[in-house]
Amino acid sequence: MRTFAKILEFRIMKYALVTGASRGIGKAIALRLAAAGWPVVINFLSNREAAQSVADEIAANGGTAELLPFDTSDPKAIETALTEWEQNHPEDWFGVLVNNAGIRRDNVMFMMPDEDWHKVLDTTLNGYFYVTRHLLKHMMPRKRGGRIINMASLSGVKGLPGQTNYSAAKAAVIGATKALAQEVAPRNITVNAIAPGFIETDMTKGLPVDELKKMIPSGRFGSPEEVAALAAFLASDEAAYITGEVININGGLYT
């Protein structure tokens, strides 16, 4: 007969939350984490059909997935959604957080509207802050541990013209990654960032692909699955001693 402690241990589940997981890199990460055995919570903003398609694909491959819509630029929506999820899962908690949600509104700075500056920072940087702060309240007690993986960008490492808003947001995420990693390391929580270069997603559609490929030593764009493989490694037990790092995945474009 199981002891009470064993029964409790059996009931508790650790989940992975991936923000902006209905398409692109977020989708690939959700699929890869599910394949590694994580029950995945798929965050999305408005495209429920696309998010449900990701969940269905995970289920078809024997995994577990749930949908959790909220706007990462809206702190009240974040708090409401995460609190409701926790109330519906009183025995469970998030062991992995992938802060992937982000938007681009490119323009040269002197022509950039206030709205485009604030919306990019609110979605990418402030969303990272609000979601991560909430989940840390459950990762930190009793040294439960956890993995926080932040999606940075080549734009945040190098800076790209026409992306002062996006570069600022991603560079800030990199700085926050390094600082937070030191704060929470004693609690068995790792915090790392992934900085993709040009990846074949909706975000890179419309770019001069042939010209950009000439700049990349490997001669090609990366795939979302390649980024997802790195994220899955950082979420694994094997990466327990890696924290505060920013890992570039860009085909040698910028090192």
Side-chain angles (χ1 to χ4, degrees):
M1 180 178 294
R2 293 194 188 98
T3 65
F4 176 77
K6 286 294 184 182
I7 293 173
L8 184 61
E9 180 183 3
F10 177 77
R11 291 181 62 191
I12 293 175
M13 290 183 68
K14 290 194 295 184
Y15 282 74
L17 170 62
V18 184
T19 65
S22 64
R23 60 193 177 96
I25 291 174
K27 172 183 176 179
I29 291 174
L31 293 172
R32 186 63 180 253
L33 290 176
W38 286 94
V40 176
V41 175
I42 299 165
N43 162 254
F44 66 99
L45 175 58
S46 57
N47 195 339
R48 178 174 288 273
E49 183 179 355
Q52 185 62 55
S53 176
V54 179
D56 291 344
E57 186 172 346
I58 289 172
N61 290 317
T64 300
E66 302 176 16
L67 304 187
L68 188 63
F70 60 79
D71 183 352
T72 58
S73 71
D74 185 341
K76 290 183 179 179
I78 292 168
E79 194 70 16
T80 298
L82 291 177
T83 298
E84 182 176 343
W85 187 91
E86 289 158 357
Q87 290 171 346
N88 292 330
H89 298 76
E91 305 293 346
D92 307 323
W93 57 287
F94 289 108
V96 172
L97 166 61
V98 181
N99 286 301
N100 170 73
I103 61 171
R104 278 177 41 212
R105 291 190 176 179
D106 295 352
N107 207 336
V108 291
M109 189 172 187
F110 83 96
M111 294 180 63
M112 185 175 292
D114 291 355
E115 179 186 357
D116 287 0
W117 174 267
H118 290 292
K119 188 62 177 178
V120 169
L121 266 70
D122 284 344
T123 301
T124 302
L125 176 60
N126 294 340
Y128 150 80
F129 168 70
Y130 291 118
V131 175
T132 304
R133 183 179 64 175
H134 185 103
L135 265 59
L136 280 174
K137 296 175 184 178
H138 302 279
M139 287 183 177
M140 292 183 71
R142 298 184 298 279
K143 296 186 178 181
R144 278 175 160 176
R147 300 281 187 270
I148 298 172
I149 302 164
N150 301 319
M151 297 309 301
S153 170
L154 172 69
S155 188
V157 175
K158 180 182 182 294
L160 293 176
Q163 291 190 340
T164 52
N165 49 2
Y166 191 70
S167 292
K170 292 298 189 179
V173 167
I174 288 171
T177 295
K178 292 177 177 291
L180 182 60
Q182 296 173 67
E183 290 182 15
V184 300
R187 296 288 180 169
N188 195 31
I189 300 169
T190 65
V191 188
N192 293 288
I194 298 173
F198 292 106
I199 307 297
E200 292 179 350
T201 69
D202 291 343
M203 293 274 283
T204 56
K205 285 182 177 178
L207 295 178
V209 175
D210 292 338
E211 290 301 312
L212 290 171
K213 285 181 178 179
K214 295 176 184 178
M215 300 166 51
I216 304 170
S218 66
R220 65 177 180 87
F221 280 18
S223 72
E225 290 73 23
E226 288 171 313
V227 179
L230 176 55
F233 170 69
L234 291 174
S236 71
D237 291 341
E238 287 81 359
Y241 203 53
I242 302 172
T243 196
E245 293 299 318
V246 181
I247 303 175
N248 293 290
I249 178 165
N250 57 31
L253 178 59
Y254 179 81
T255 56

